[in-house]
Amino acid sequence: MIFFDLRTIRLKKYLYMIQDFPFLEKSPLFRGLTINEIASEFSEIHYQVKKYSKGQMVVSAGDIVDRLLVVLTGSVKGEMVDFSGKTIKIEDIEPPKPLAVAFLFGKSNTFPVNIIANEDSELLVIPKESVLKLFQENKNILLNFLNSISNRSQFLSQKIKFLNFQTIKGKIANYLLQIAQGKELVVLDKSQNELAELFGVTRPSVGRGIRDLHNDGVIEASGKSIKIIDFNGLKECLK
Amino acid sequence: MIFFDLRTIRLKKYLYMIQDFPFLEKSPLFRGLTINEIASEFSEIHYQVKKYSKGQMVVSAGDIVDRLLVVLTGSVKGEMVDFSGKTIKIEDIEPPKPLAVAFLFGKSNTFPVNIIANEDSELLVIPKESVLKLFQENKNILLNFLNSISNRSQFLSQKIKFLNFQTIKGKIANYLLQIAQGKELVVLDKSQNELAELFGVTRPSVGRGIRDLHNDGVIEASGKSIKIIDFNGLKECLK
DNA sequence: ATTTTTCTGTAACATATGTTACAAAGGCGA
DNA sequence: TCGCCTTTGTAACATATGTTACAGAAAAAT
């Protein structure tokens, strides 16, 4: 549970200025506004900036969502936890992206995932009422919000497809084709561990998958360097 | 691909009156408005009512989403298709629910799933510009839309959890606990086939799962009647 | 340059789920 | 009541993935 100390809020408002975070202009929520416009909108509402240290839990699955969070510095990750405690990382959220966008409205209003700081991070916290006020004041922000929340759904749809519809070879093939962009030489930007996390499978399975593709002759893999031999064969693997 | 004939649109506007569908008041999108208020909003915008016969594809995965669809009569289902043609049903959509809510805005604007009519159905079709106009005219509709789209994300989050985090026994246990609501006697409202579809697994596997739970002594199953013997044991099965 | 940590490659084995198949039971219309 | 279709129960078998383990390679830290 998160605890709000009103004195802190007031204090923080003087410690942090919105102008300190000019890249907010690039945030999905504030796209199309200048930092001065953003600051002027914010001068009318309540908000705070909170700090989290590496590994700290920002919100726990089940917490009430009555505020909008925007990552200002550092990065956080969302991960789901099953009953036995096993986790799967859903995504990393980097500045200046918002989080919990899909849970501010709607029926449930509780976080479905744990949010954990990957590193020391600062988050902008905007209470729901203030968000609504922003919507009223600025049509742009509203549209941006609609877009964000839609992208969220789209991301989840993709994730479902990915998690559910493919064998491990398929997921790897999919991933390779995606980052190869038609080129035949690929250098993986993630470790097998990270891929495993992304795919929701175990690390040895990823290794095995790559080896299988190699043995099938559709790729030549050595460490992170992969050469695609047979594009069609790879597409076939999209099971 | 869907083809719009402008003459049809104009024609349909005279054939169908919004007032013919009073249950629109219960639609997630129009909640809080009376049918007359809805009709008055609609008098200002373009829309049409389209008919689909049983089994007909309403939209294909990949189609552009430039309009909002609301199920008026009948029912439709969304299903994902993988590369090999295997499908998994994502959900049924009954009147008066909207669909494609999460793809009207956001980056992609293409349907991620096929939408197929379960039976003869009528759908209300509202072009995106008209939706925006509705938002401007009526704050209620906007808020309803935000809620719908959020619920969508929440649904998908749940789905991911369900698909990814549990063994078949776990899914069954989960399902049983959900519909049992504390009572020890449950009568399944779905066939094993439907459960299999819901869980994204095969039918014999569902059968085996139920049998296993039975043999473990946590339930007593006979056909659709299930008696929960050991609630804690069942909770343990939530993997 | 050396140590330490992380990453890769791989293996043996366990297990969950899919595949296919068929028979029995149940529901339902003729 | 009969026959038909759907649903259930179950089995044998195939396969994909998880689990655990360990050694060598690569990368990072000291």
Side-chain angles (χ1 to χ4, degrees):
Chain A
M1 287 293 151
I2 304 295
F3 183 76
F4 284 93
D5 181 339
L6 282 181
R7 278 170 313 174
T8 318
I9 296 183
R10 227 172 289 130
L11 222 141
K12 292 271 167 86
K13 274 194 80 158
Y14 291 100
L15 285 177
Y16 294 90
M17 305 297 304
I18 285 295
Q19 279 89 346
D20 294 340
F21 305 102
F23 49 86
L24 273 178
E25 289 181 355
K26 299 211 171 54
S27 171
L29 280 188
F30 304 114
R31 196 162 287 159
L33 287 89
T34 64
I35 187 64
N36 287 327
E37 288 172 310
I38 298 171
S40 120
E41 296 292 351
F42 270 76
S43 68
E44 304 292 319
I45 63 164
H46 292 284
Y47 66 92
Q48 73 176 131
V49 176
K50 290 202 76 165
K51 290 187 173 200
Y52 296 89
S53 43
K54 179 174 180 173
Q56 197 183 344
M57 186 159 293
V58 177
V59 286
S60 309
D63 280 4
I64 299 286
V65 183
D66 52 6
R67 55 200 181 277
L68 179 65
L69 304 176
V70 182
V71 181
L72 292 174
T73 65
S75 94
V76 303
K77 65 179 169 185
E79 59 181 30
M80 279 192 177
V81 187
D82 73 6
F83 300 91
S84 65
K86 190 178 146 196
T87 63
I88 175 180
K89 181 160 101 181
I90 300 294
E91 67 187 322
D92 278 314
I93 306 157
E94 318 260 336
K97 284 200 188 156
L99 52 116
V101 156
F103 291 83
L104 197 53
F105 297 90
K107 280 202 233 341
S108 123
N109 301 124
T110 63
F111 277 90
V113 295
N114 292 328
I115 305 283
I116 293 160
N118 282 326
E119 49 195 302
D120 290 1
S121 303
E122 292 170 301
L123 272 71
L124 178 61
V125 181
I126 312 172
K128 184 168 174 176
E129 315 85 71
S130 297
V131 174
L132 285 172
K133 210 165 167 194
L134 284 178
F135 289 171
Q136 282 169 7
E137 298 292 322
N138 193 304
K139 195 146 290 176
N140 240 316
I141 295 180
L142 170 61
L143 267 178
N144 283 339
F145 189 87
L146 282 171
N147 279 316
S148 287
I149 205 170
S150 298
N151 284 331
R152 178 98 216 119
S153 276
Q154 293 173 20
F155 171 82
L156 291 175
S157 275
Q158 263 310 103
K159 193 97 191 175
I160 286 181
K161 206 160 180 172
F162 208 63
L163 289 174
N164 228 256
F165 273 113
Q166 285 169 237
T167 68
I168 293 183
K169 266 161 86 171
K171 294 178 208 211
I172 296 168
N174 194 332
Y175 187 80
L176 285 178
L177 289 169
Q178 203 157 0
I179 63 171
Q181 301 281 8
K183 289 190 277 291
E184 52 174 29
L185 270 150
V186 185
V187 176
L188 292 178
D189 56 342
K190 291 187 199 299
S191 72
Q192 289 187 1
N193 245 318
E194 291 174 305
L195 288 179
E197 206 169 35
L198 181 67
F199 298 164
V201 301
T202 59
R203 201 270 309 170
S205 292
V206 171
R208 178 161 41 202
I210 293 174
R211 182 152 31 99
D212 287 352
L213 286 172
H214 180 103
N215 292 338
D216 293 351
V218 298
I219 65 174
E220 265 170 27
S222 157
K224 290 206 193 307
S225 309
I226 291 179
K227 185 175 174 188
I228 300 177
I229 305 295
D230 177 0
F231 271 92
N232 288 329
L234 207 51
K235 280 174 197 151
E236 289 293 312
C237 291
L238 298 174
K239 160 51 194 327
Chain B
M1 288 293 151
I2 304 297
F3 182 75
F4 284 94
D5 181 339
L6 283 180
R7 279 170 313 173
T8 318
I9 296 184
R10 226 171 292 128
L11 223 140
K12 293 272 167 88
K13 273 194 81 160
Y14 292 99
L15 285 177
Y16 294 89
M17 304 298 304
I18 285 296
Q19 278 90 347
D20 294 340
F21 306 102
F23 50 84
L24 273 178
E25 289 181 355
K26 299 213 170 54
S27 171
L29 281 188
F30 304 114
R31 195 162 287 157
L33 293 120
T34 65
I35 187 63
N36 287 329
E37 287 172 311
I38 298 171
S40 120
E41 297 291 351
F42 270 75
S43 67
E44 304 292 320
I45 62 164
H46 292 284
Y47 66 92
Q48 72 175 135
V49 175
K50 289 204 77 167
K51 290 187 173 201
Y52 296 90
S53 44
K54 178 173 179 172
Q56 196 182 346
M57 187 159 293
V58 177
V59 286
S60 309
D63 280 3
I64 299 284
V65 184
D66 52 6
R67 54 201 182 274
L68 179 65
L69 304 177
V70 182
V71 182
L72 292 174
T73 64
S75 94
V76 303
K77 65 179 168 184
E79 58 181 31
M80 278 192 177
V81 188
D82 72 9
F83 300 91
S84 65
K86 189 179 149 196
T87 63
I88 174 180
K89 180 161 103 183
I90 300 294
E91 68 188 319
D92 278 314
I93 305 157
E94 318 260 335
K97 284 198 188 158
L99 52 116
V101 157
F103 291 84
L104 196 53
F105 297 90
K107 279 201 244 306
S108 124
N109 301 124
T110 63
F111 277 90
V113 295
N114 292 328
I115 305 282
I116 293 158
N118 283 324
E119 49 197 301
D120 290 2
S121 304
E122 291 170 302
L123 272 71
L124 178 61
V125 181
I126 314 172
K128 183 168 176 176
E129 317 83 70
S130 297
V131 174
L132 286 171
K133 208 163 169 196
L134 284 178
F135 289 171
Q136 282 168 9
E137 299 291 322
N138 194 304
K139 194 145 291 173
N140 240 314
I141 295 179
L142 170 60
L143 267 177
N144 283 340
F145 189 87
L146 281 171
N147 278 316
S148 288
I149 205 170
S150 299
N151 284 332
R152 181 97 215 119
S153 273
Q154 293 173 19
F155 171 81
L156 291 174
S157 276
Q158 263 310 105
K159 194 96 189 174
I160 285 182
K161 206 161 180 171
F162 207 64
L163 290 174
N164 228 257
F165 273 114
Q166 284 169 236
T167 66
I168 294 182
K169 267 163 85 172
K171 294 177 210 214
I172 296 168
N174 193 333
Y175 187 79
L176 286 178
L177 288 170
Q178 206 158 358
I179 64 171
Q181 301 281 7
K183 289 190 278 290
E184 53 175 27
L185 271 150
V186 185
V187 177
L188 292 178
D189 56 342
K190 292 187 200 298
S191 72
Q192 289 187 1
N193 246 317
E194 291 174 305
L195 288 178
E197 207 168 35
L198 181 66
F199 298 163
V201 301
T202 59
R203 202 270 310 168
S205 292
V206 172
R208 177 160 44 200
I210 293 174
R211 181 153 30 101
D212 287 351
L213 287 172
H214 181 104
N215 292 339
D216 293 350
V218 298
I219 64 174
E220 265 170 26
S222 157
K224 289 206 193 310
S225 309
I226 291 180
K227 185 176 173 189
I228 301 178
I229 306 295
D230 177 0
F231 271 92
N232 289 329
L234 205 51
K235 280 175 197 150
E236 289 294 311
C237 291
L238 298 173
K239 163 65 182 318

